[in-house]
Amino acid sequence: MSKVYVTRQIPQEPLDRLRRSHEVEINPHDRPLTRDELLREVRGRDAVITLLTDTIDSEVLDAAGPQCRIFANYAVGYNNFDLDAATRRGVILTNTPGVLDEATATHAWSLLLAVARRIPEAERHLRAGRWNGWGPLQFLGQDVDHKTLGIAGLGRIGSQFASKAAAFNMRVIYHNLVRVPEFEQACGATFVDKATLLREADFLSLHLPLMPETRHYIGAQELAAMKPTAVLVNTGRGPLVDEQALVAALRDRVIWGAGLDVFEHEPLLTPGLAELENVVIVPHIASATFETRLAMGRIAVENVMSVLAGRPPQNCINPSLRHEPPQF
Ligand code: DGY
């Protein structure tokens, strides 16, 4: 029986399936493993199911040992992996694309709407007993209908997000590494350069993978280029945005608001962020639905079972070990 370690409890059903043919051990704590625990727990395992909170680098790969064949991320993003280090050792890395596109896109819309219509702020006011009755100028927000929706990064999640814009009769503009003509036809979207995206978007949603080239994709300069009425939404990865610059921009009303699911130094927030009324912040829950998290578990387990059975996994992300290009 191969030995599999799971760095945090994930939905039970796929784990039960894995247990039928493998020896499975799971982090018993309701928290991420510390670095020392991770280094200790991977030792001697044939496969490890990891989270985006686990940094998998040379040290961890060496601690696991040469028998370890796969680290399967329970996430679509894989910026927590050192791809080169794993590939050099012949260790397969996988992710969970496809199954969380809809949940993540819907969540990005929830944030966009919540910021535009100031819902959490109004709710705080009401719950605190400060409401003194209907008022014509209370909690005025931004219309969403007929506005310009900007999308940075047109992978599967970005496209799914864009497809929902038709409900609000929005103009859709996007910037991506490459143009996607099928998408332009399907969503009536227009490809623009980054400067135009920043200048023209009323709502800008980030759907880029985190890589050295996309770190601080939005910084002070980019925020200054946006409309003072603009709303920024980030459900990708925190470091896509220079959070300190964003706090300053929100405080000084350089932009109107922001909806954030992810943060630059998770689980910590940049000082000042949580005190701002014009930002909606939630703790990295874009894929957190029963259905989606179960589907992610099934994929991670399937990837592990394939590799341990000597078959190529569906979602290999190492460039030289995969059969299909990786997906976001
Ligand atoms: C992912 O899968 O990359 C998300 O951030 C977690 O749901």
Side-chain angles (χ1 to χ4, degrees):
M1 264 195 173
S2 298
K3 293 187 175 124
V4 184
Y5 190 76
V6 186
T7 65
R8 185 119 179 224
Q9 180 69 47
I10 62 172
Q12 197 55 43
E13 180 226 85
L15 292 178
D16 288 343
R17 178 164 169 246
L18 190 61
R19 271 212 171 93
R20 287 201 276 277
S21 44
H22 300 291
E23 196 180 303
V24 180
E25 207 179 320
I26 305 168
N27 164 15
H29 311 293
D30 186 19
R31 58 165 174 78
L33 294 175
T34 63
R35 180 76 180 171
D36 283 349
E37 287 169 337
L38 178 65
L39 289 168
R40 195 171 57 240
E41 295 297 358
V42 296
R43 191 164 304 142
R45 312 289 179 172
D46 301 298
V48 183
I49 296 181
T50 53
L51 307 184
L52 54 89
T53 43
D54 304 314
T55 300
I56 307 303
D57 54 14
S58 302
E59 195 184 15
V60 175
L61 293 161
D62 289 341
Q67 80 300 328
C68 188
R69 318 231 306 262
I70 172 170
F71 280 74
N73 227 23
Y74 180 74
V76 65
Y78 50 83
N79 53 292
N80 57 312
F81 282 159
D82 183 335
L83 214 54
D84 291 342
T87 306
R88 276 199 306 275
R89 291 164 177 78
V91 175
I92 291 175
L93 304 175
T94 59
N95 67 341
T96 62
V99 292
L100 44 73
D101 305 342
E102 289 174 352
T104 305
T106 300
H107 188 67
W109 275 103
S110 310
L111 286 173
L112 187 158
L113 295 168
V115 178
R117 299 305 304 270
R118 302 172 64 179
I119 290 176
E121 186 188 349
E123 200 209 20
R124 283 194 291 274
H125 182 83
L126 182 58
R127 282 182 190 269
R130 295 202 302 269
W131 192 40
N132 59 4
W134 189 88
L137 299 180
Q138 282 172 3
F139 294 105
L140 302 186
Q142 304 281 352
D143 268 341
V144 172
D145 294 75
H146 309 291
K147 294 279 181 73
T148 296
L149 181 67
I151 299 169
L154 202 77
R156 306 172 69 126
I157 298 172
S159 320
Q160 185 59 236
F161 176 77
S163 71
K164 300 182 194 294
F168 295 102
N169 297 305
M170 297 176 94
R171 169 182 172 238
V172 181
I173 57 176
Y174 76 103
H175 184 64
N176 194 41
L177 221 49
V178 291
R179 265 185 91 149
V180 189
E182 317 80 81
F183 166 75
E184 291 175 25
Q185 270 181 351
C187 292
T190 307
F191 179 83
V192 293
D193 58 22
K194 185 176 173 185
T196 308
L197 184 78
L198 295 170
R199 192 175 60 245
E200 295 192 3
D202 293 303
F203 300 93
L204 175 58
S205 192
L206 307 183
H207 299 284
L208 299 153
L210 177 62
M211 303 182 291
E213 306 77 31
T214 58
R215 196 184 137 73
H216 288 187
Y217 181 84
I218 300 290
Q221 218 180 321
E222 287 75 18
L223 290 160
M226 291 171 71
K227 296 183 183 182
T229 50
V231 170
L232 176 70
V233 174
N234 189 8
T235 53
R237 284 289 182 266
L240 294 174
V241 177
D242 177 344
E243 207 165 279
Q244 232 176 343
L246 179 64
V247 169
L250 289 168
R251 190 191 53 224
D252 301 342
R253 293 285 177 170
V254 173
I255 64 168
W256 196 75
L260 307 177
D261 182 62
V262 289
F263 304 90
E264 193 169 356
H265 308 289
E266 292 180 15
L268 303 175
L269 302 184
T270 294
L273 186 68
E275 283 76 56
L276 294 168
E277 287 288 14
N278 54 343
V279 64
V280 176
I281 47 175
V282 290
H284 205 148
I285 55 168
S287 67
T289 69
F290 292 108
E291 297 88 341
T292 297
R293 290 285 166 88
L294 175 60
M296 288 165 66
R298 287 177 177 158
I299 293 190
V301 162
E302 188 56 46
N303 283 325
V304 165
M305 291 187 54
S306 297
V307 170
L308 293 179
R311 294 190 303 269
Q314 276 279 313
N315 313 107
C316 179
I317 56 183
N318 319 58
S320 57
L321 303 179
R322 70 179 174 232
H323 298 257
E324 301 287 333
Q327 297 163 13
F328 296 104

